[in-house]
Amino acid sequence: MIDFEPFHTKRLPLQVIAEGLDRADLAAITREMTARILGHLADCTDADVTFMPVDPDAFDRYASTEADRNVPWSLGHVIVHLTASCEEAAFLGAELARGVPAHGRSRYEVPWPTVTTIEACRERLRESERMCLATLETWPDRPHLDVFYEPLSGSPPRNAVARYLGGPAHADEHRDHIPALVRQATAARSS
């Protein structure tokens, strides 16, 4: 798996980390990310998916209501969130690769309260992987790597490769979150 730490700690822009990567690399990163998350879920049960953890640092700046801003996320919530982020990055990366200028978001997130079983989490991860990999097949043989977008005003611009890589980078932000959720849920189930 690619080391996203320099990006997370703002030492390197994602565009620099993406340099030299191609579609095959992005596909491998996607498969490895999915396998790693599925590995964390290997011993989970349905109860673990909806278990509400203790998370004193919970904060969601994009929560739809003020009441939801500091609510901890269940395992099911994290899975639907990170898969939606990966899909959005993959679909918009494909547009940039085809020479289409950035035009906004392309996001759908499965409503997390509807994901209540471990099998639903696994299916969501596999479906998302399939969709992300499929977007790479839409890239032209010579992608337009000179078409950039600026994620936030003043931030370093990203091309198609870096745009796609933004999904796995975001999922990587949850690399400690998912095992911590699983540990808490398992401990609660055992007691």
PDB file of all heavy atoms in Angstrom, residues 9 18 27 70 93 122 140 160 163-164 166 174 178:
ATOM      1  N   THR A   9      -0.018  14.425   6.714  1.00  0.00           N
ATOM      2  CA  THR A   9       0.677  15.381   7.584  1.00  0.00           C
ATOM      3  C   THR A   9       1.053  16.666   6.846  1.00  0.00           C
ATOM      4  O   THR A   9       1.793  17.483   7.373  1.00  0.00           O
ATOM      5  CB  THR A   9       1.932  14.738   8.197  1.00  0.00           C
ATOM      6  OG1 THR A   9       2.784  14.275   7.135  1.00  0.00           O
ATOM      7  CG2 THR A   9       1.570  13.597   9.127  1.00  0.00           C
ATOM      8  N   ALA A  18       1.255  11.017  -6.315  1.00  0.00           N
ATOM      9  CA  ALA A  18       0.678  10.346  -7.489  1.00  0.00           C
ATOM     10  C   ALA A  18       1.635  10.279  -8.682  1.00  0.00           C
ATOM     11  O   ALA A  18       1.407   9.486  -9.603  1.00  0.00           O
ATOM     12  CB  ALA A  18      -0.605  11.059  -7.912  1.00  0.00           C
ATOM     13  N   ALA A  27      -5.290   0.504  -9.772  1.00  0.00           N
ATOM     14  CA  ALA A  27      -6.082  -0.715  -9.588  1.00  0.00           C
ATOM     15  C   ALA A  27      -5.502  -1.563  -8.451  1.00  0.00           C
ATOM     16  O   ALA A  27      -6.247  -2.067  -7.597  1.00  0.00           O
ATOM     17  CB  ALA A  27      -6.133  -1.519 -10.884  1.00  0.00           C
ATOM     18  N   ASN A  70     -21.334  15.501  16.752  1.00  0.00           N
ATOM     19  CA  ASN A  70     -20.385  14.814  17.642  1.00  0.00           C
ATOM     20  C   ASN A  70     -20.789  13.377  17.950  1.00  0.00           C
ATOM     21  O   ASN A  70     -20.319  12.797  18.923  1.00  0.00           O
ATOM     22  CB  ASN A  70     -20.220  15.603  18.943  1.00  0.00           C
ATOM     23  CG  ASN A  70     -19.628  16.970  18.685  1.00  0.00           C
ATOM     24  OD1 ASN A  70     -20.354  17.957  18.635  1.00  0.00           O
ATOM     25  ND2 ASN A  70     -18.334  17.038  18.485  1.00  0.00           N
ATOM     26  N   GLY A  93     -12.005  11.317 -11.316  1.00  0.00           N
ATOM     27  CA  GLY A  93     -10.695  11.077 -11.922  1.00  0.00           C
ATOM     28  C   GLY A  93     -10.836  10.626 -13.367  1.00  0.00           C
ATOM     29  O   GLY A  93     -10.077  11.045 -14.239  1.00  0.00           O
ATOM     30  N   ARG A 122     -19.430  -6.078   3.705  1.00  0.00           N
ATOM     31  CA  ARG A 122     -18.544  -6.749   2.738  1.00  0.00           C
ATOM     32  C   ARG A 122     -19.035  -6.527   1.308  1.00  0.00           C
ATOM     33  O   ARG A 122     -18.226  -6.244   0.416  1.00  0.00           O
ATOM     34  CB  ARG A 122     -18.468  -8.237   3.056  1.00  0.00           C
ATOM     35  CG  ARG A 122     -17.740  -8.540   4.351  1.00  0.00           C
ATOM     36  CD  ARG A 122     -17.699 -10.031   4.655  1.00  0.00           C
ATOM     37  NE  ARG A 122     -17.033 -10.272   5.917  1.00  0.00           N
ATOM     38  CZ  ARG A 122     -17.556 -10.964   6.919  1.00  0.00           C
ATOM     39  NH1 ARG A 122     -18.752 -11.525   6.794  1.00  0.00           N
ATOM     40  NH2 ARG A 122     -16.884 -11.127   8.040  1.00  0.00           N
ATOM     41  N   PRO A 140      -8.869   6.958 -21.359  1.00  0.00           N
ATOM     42  CA  PRO A 140      -8.277   6.757 -22.685  1.00  0.00           C
ATOM     43  C   PRO A 140      -6.870   6.165 -22.560  1.00  0.00           C
ATOM     44  O   PRO A 140      -6.245   6.221 -21.493  1.00  0.00           O
ATOM     45  CB  PRO A 140      -8.229   8.163 -23.279  1.00  0.00           C
ATOM     46  CG  PRO A 140      -8.426   9.110 -22.162  1.00  0.00           C
ATOM     47  CD  PRO A 140      -9.046   8.361 -21.022  1.00  0.00           C
ATOM     48  N   ALA A 160      -5.840  13.632 -13.020  1.00  0.00           N
ATOM     49  CA  ALA A 160      -6.697  12.448 -12.924  1.00  0.00           C
ATOM     50  C   ALA A 160      -6.143  11.401 -11.964  1.00  0.00           C
ATOM     51  O   ALA A 160      -6.896  10.808 -11.182  1.00  0.00           O
ATOM     52  CB  ALA A 160      -6.893  11.838 -14.313  1.00  0.00           C
ATOM     53  N   ARG A 163      -6.511  12.708  -8.503  1.00  0.00           N
ATOM     54  CA  ARG A 163      -7.938  12.763  -8.143  1.00  0.00           C
ATOM     55  C   ARG A 163      -8.431  11.379  -7.743  1.00  0.00           C
ATOM     56  O   ARG A 163      -9.109  11.217  -6.744  1.00  0.00           O
ATOM     57  CB  ARG A 163      -8.760  13.317  -9.310  1.00  0.00           C
ATOM     58  CG  ARG A 163     -10.252  13.449  -8.991  1.00  0.00           C
ATOM     59  CD  ARG A 163     -10.447  14.434  -7.840  1.00  0.00           C
ATOM     60  NE  ARG A 163     -11.814  14.699  -7.538  1.00  0.00           N
ATOM     61  CZ  ARG A 163     -12.396  14.419  -6.351  1.00  0.00           C
ATOM     62  NH1 ARG A 163     -11.706  13.831  -5.407  1.00  0.00           N
ATOM     63  NH2 ARG A 163     -13.638  14.735  -6.131  1.00  0.00           N
ATOM     64  N   TYR A 164      -8.105  10.364  -8.532  1.00  0.00           N
ATOM     65  CA  TYR A 164      -8.485   8.983  -8.204  1.00  0.00           C
ATOM     66  C   TYR A 164      -7.853   8.583  -6.872  1.00  0.00           C
ATOM     67  O   TYR A 164      -8.518   8.003  -6.018  1.00  0.00           O
ATOM     68  CB  TYR A 164      -8.033   8.033  -9.314  1.00  0.00           C
ATOM     69  CG  TYR A 164      -8.475   6.606  -9.078  1.00  0.00           C
ATOM     70  CD1 TYR A 164      -9.562   6.077  -9.761  1.00  0.00           C
ATOM     71  CD2 TYR A 164      -7.824   5.785  -8.161  1.00  0.00           C
ATOM     72  CE1 TYR A 164      -9.986   4.765  -9.548  1.00  0.00           C
ATOM     73  CE2 TYR A 164      -8.239   4.484  -7.932  1.00  0.00           C
ATOM     74  CZ  TYR A 164      -9.317   3.979  -8.630  1.00  0.00           C
ATOM     75  OH  TYR A 164      -9.732   2.687  -8.397  1.00  0.00           O
ATOM     76  N   GLY A 166      -7.164  10.235  -4.413  1.00  0.00           N
ATOM     77  CA  GLY A 166      -7.792  10.877  -3.262  1.00  0.00           C
ATOM     78  C   GLY A 166      -8.746   9.956  -2.522  1.00  0.00           C
ATOM     79  O   GLY A 166      -8.906  10.064  -1.300  1.00  0.00           O
ATOM     80  N   HIS A 174      -8.904   6.278   7.654  1.00  0.00           N
ATOM     81  CA  HIS A 174      -9.672   5.420   8.555  1.00  0.00           C
ATOM     82  C   HIS A 174      -8.930   4.123   8.896  1.00  0.00           C
ATOM     83  O   HIS A 174      -9.512   3.213   9.477  1.00  0.00           O
ATOM     84  CB  HIS A 174     -11.032   5.092   7.927  1.00  0.00           C
ATOM     85  CG  HIS A 174     -11.914   6.290   7.785  1.00  0.00           C
ATOM     86  ND1 HIS A 174     -12.591   6.856   8.840  1.00  0.00           N
ATOM     87  CD2 HIS A 174     -12.215   7.055   6.702  1.00  0.00           C
ATOM     88  CE1 HIS A 174     -13.282   7.892   8.419  1.00  0.00           C
ATOM     89  NE2 HIS A 174     -13.065   8.043   7.129  1.00  0.00           N
ATOM     90  N   ILE A 178     -11.072   1.888  11.773  1.00  0.00           N
ATOM     91  CA  ILE A 178     -11.802   0.631  11.603  1.00  0.00           C
ATOM     92  C   ILE A 178     -11.348  -0.425  12.616  1.00  0.00           C
ATOM     93  O   ILE A 178     -12.193  -1.006  13.317  1.00  0.00           O
ATOM     94  CB  ILE A 178     -11.722   0.130  10.151  1.00  0.00           C
ATOM     95  CG1 ILE A 178     -12.500   1.093   9.234  1.00  0.00           C
ATOM     96  CG2 ILE A 178     -12.266  -1.287  10.020  1.00  0.00           C
ATOM     97  CD1 ILE A 178     -12.320   0.844   7.757  1.00  0.00           C
TER      98      ILE A 178
END
